[in-house]
């Protein structure tokens, strides 16, 4: 299958023109997955997806992770999660950690098995703020000095959902979706600081501004300094792409190759609602190279088949 792909400026990411509601088959899955591994972030504008369509589109990239926070899972659609700053009766309808939240991370790094890819579909788009920023952790690793790469290649970092919940609450006046969530009892896990991508063979930097309490085997101060220096490097302007959402945008990113964060958004005048799907880790090798219940898609999309 041939895709109309236009690389984005900045060295990573691409715009893809295709109708995912009508895209099926192994050839399409292969082409999309290979494009994702090559460009790391795919922007697919103008999609019109029901919940069923979104799950079908996600399955083109692999097996959908259904072990999600049950509070915000879309009813009847395991694997789809609402991300939103909208509140009903004082309670957020989706994952929400404050209007000022900025947390660089790779999705679900607090799980033993890393998320391979994430799809995020915009249903209600804010007029201002709420962008998603991506950092090219793959190129950031490649640009590190040789000696620093050698130093970190064998290191492992602890990823803790409890630490994440505490850090989020401290940053948002006690508010943390994670802290009140159904996954908060997961035990700590460790992951390589510079893992090798299973499909491309390239090393990347697996970092997080709130989820990592320490690096195994390093004194606390030394580990914190190293993590801060690596994150500052990885999120410097030369490695960034900022996606300004439009309604019906779908963005897919290689969660093993980039980091991301939401940008601040004033929830009162600027509601934001997206629906997310996460793809479980796969070892398949690529080829060369948040009116009515706002947690629901509009009825016209729900009824599509």
């Amino acid at each position: 299958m041939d895709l109309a792909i236009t690389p984005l400026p900045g060295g990573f990411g691409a715009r893809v023109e295709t109708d995912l509601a009508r895209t099926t088959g192994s050839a399409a899955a292969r082409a999309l997955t290979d494009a994702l591994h090559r460009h790391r972030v795919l922007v697919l504008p103008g999609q019109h997806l029901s919940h069923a369509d979104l799950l079908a589109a996600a399955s083109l990239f692999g097996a959908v992770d259904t072990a999600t926070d049950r509070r915000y899972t879309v009813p009847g659609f395991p694997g789809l999660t609402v991300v939103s700053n909208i509140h009903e009766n004082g309670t957020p309808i989706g994952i929400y950690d404050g209007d000022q939240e900025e947390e660089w991370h790779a999705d679900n790094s607090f799980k033993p098995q890393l998320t391979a890819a994430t799809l995020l579909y915009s249903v209600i788009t804010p007029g201002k703020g709420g962008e998603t920023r991506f950092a090219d952790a793959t190129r950031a690793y490649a640009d590190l000095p040789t000696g620093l790469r050698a130093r970190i290649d064998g290191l492992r970092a602890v990823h803790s959902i409890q630490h994440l919940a505490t850090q989020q609450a401290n940053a948002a006046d006690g508010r943390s979706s994670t802290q009140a969530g159904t996954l908060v009892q997961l035990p700590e896990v460790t992951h390589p600081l510079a893992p090798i991508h299973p499909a491309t063979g390239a090393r990347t930097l697996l970092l997080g501004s709130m989820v990592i309490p320490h690096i195994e085997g390093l004194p606390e101060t030394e580990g914190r300094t190293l993590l801060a220096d690596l994150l500052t490097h990885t999120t410097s302007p030369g490695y960034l792409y900022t996606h300004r959402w439009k309604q019906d945008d779908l963005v897919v990113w290689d969660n093993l190759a980039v980091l991301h964060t939401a940008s601040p958004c004033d929830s009162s005048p600027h509601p934001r609602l997206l629906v997310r799907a996460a793809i479980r880790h796969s070892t398949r090798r690529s080829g060369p190279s948040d009116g009515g219940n706002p947690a629901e898609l509009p009825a016209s999309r729900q009824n599509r088949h």
Side-chain angles (χ1 to χ4, degrees):
M1 176 184 179
D2 292 328
L3 295 173
I5 299 177
T6 305
L8 299 174
F12 75 113
R15 181 183 176 102
V16 180
E17 303 291 345
T18 192
D19 182 358
L20 282 181
R22 304 180 187 280
T23 301
T24 60
S26 59
R30 205 161 35 243
L32 285 164
T33 303
D34 289 348
L36 181 63
H37 291 156
R38 184 175 301 111
H39 297 284
R40 300 189 277 285
V41 175
L42 302 181
V43 177
L44 298 97
Q47 304 298 314
H48 301 282
L49 305 175
S50 68
H51 291 320
D53 291 334
L54 182 53
L55 275 178
S59 69
L60 292 168
F61 295 92
V64 177
D65 184 1
T66 59
T68 57
D69 189 331
R70 294 188 299 275
R71 294 171 309 154
Y72 302 129
T73 299
V74 177
F77 293 91
L80 295 186
T81 302
V82 177
V83 178
S84 182
N85 63 8
I86 298 170
H87 288 61
E88 290 184 345
N89 301 318
T91 300
I93 66 167
I95 295 173
Y96 169 73
D97 293 297
D99 287 1
Q100 301 303 310
E101 183 195 40
E102 291 185 280
E103 182 222 339
W104 286 105
H105 64 288
D107 282 336
N108 296 320
S109 72
F110 49 77
K111 291 184 176 182
Q113 186 180 55
L114 293 170
T115 292
T118 301
L119 295 84
L120 199 58
Y121 179 53
S122 182
V123 180
I124 299 176
T125 305
K128 181 180 180 181
E131 301 88 358
T132 300
R133 289 183 286 156
F134 297 93
D136 189 349
T138 303
R139 187 156 51 91
Y141 171 86
D143 289 348
L144 289 173
T146 302
L148 182 53
R149 293 203 305 267
R151 177 189 176 198
I152 67 176
D153 281 355
L155 294 178
R156 298 182 65 88
V158 174
H159 293 246
S160 165
I161 193 170
Q162 292 87 5
H163 185 75
L164 170 61
T166 299
Q167 294 297 307
Q168 286 179 330
N170 289 342
D173 299 323
R175 182 191 299 110
S176 169
S177 291
T178 302
Q179 196 168 54
T182 60
L183 302 178
V184 75
Q185 297 304 319
L186 289 173
E188 292 183 344
V189 297
T190 65
H191 295 296
L193 191 57
I196 297 173
H197 195 292
T200 68
R203 279 197 186 267
T204 187
L205 289 166
L206 181 56
L207 304 169
S209 57
M210 293 185 179
V211 73
I212 302 177
H214 62 271
I215 297 174
E216 283 189 331
L218 291 188
E220 183 176 350
T221 300
E222 181 182 348
R224 285 183 177 177
T225 299
L226 178 58
L227 289 168
D229 288 346
L230 290 172
L231 189 62
T232 297
H233 167 71
T234 304
T235 60
S236 58
Y239 302 113
L240 299 187
Y241 163 67
T242 299
H243 186 71
R244 178 75 181 91
W245 290 95
K246 295 181 180 179
Q247 187 170 335
D248 298 325
D249 278 355
L250 177 71
V251 177
V252 188
W253 62 91
D254 186 337
N255 194 60
L256 304 176
V258 301
L259 305 176
H260 67 284
T261 183
S263 299
C265 182
D266 188 341
S267 58
S268 297
H270 299 295
R272 180 179 190 259
L273 192 154
L274 306 102
V275 182
R276 184 178 74 191
I279 307 303
R280 297 203 302 266
H281 172 79
S282 170
T283 57
R284 188 182 75 82
R285 191 88 179 176
S286 76
S289 67
D290 291 349
N293 180 356
E296 297 177 357
L297 296 184
S300 60
R301 301 182 211 175
Q302 288 281 21
N303 295 331
R304 292 190 56 181
H305 299 284

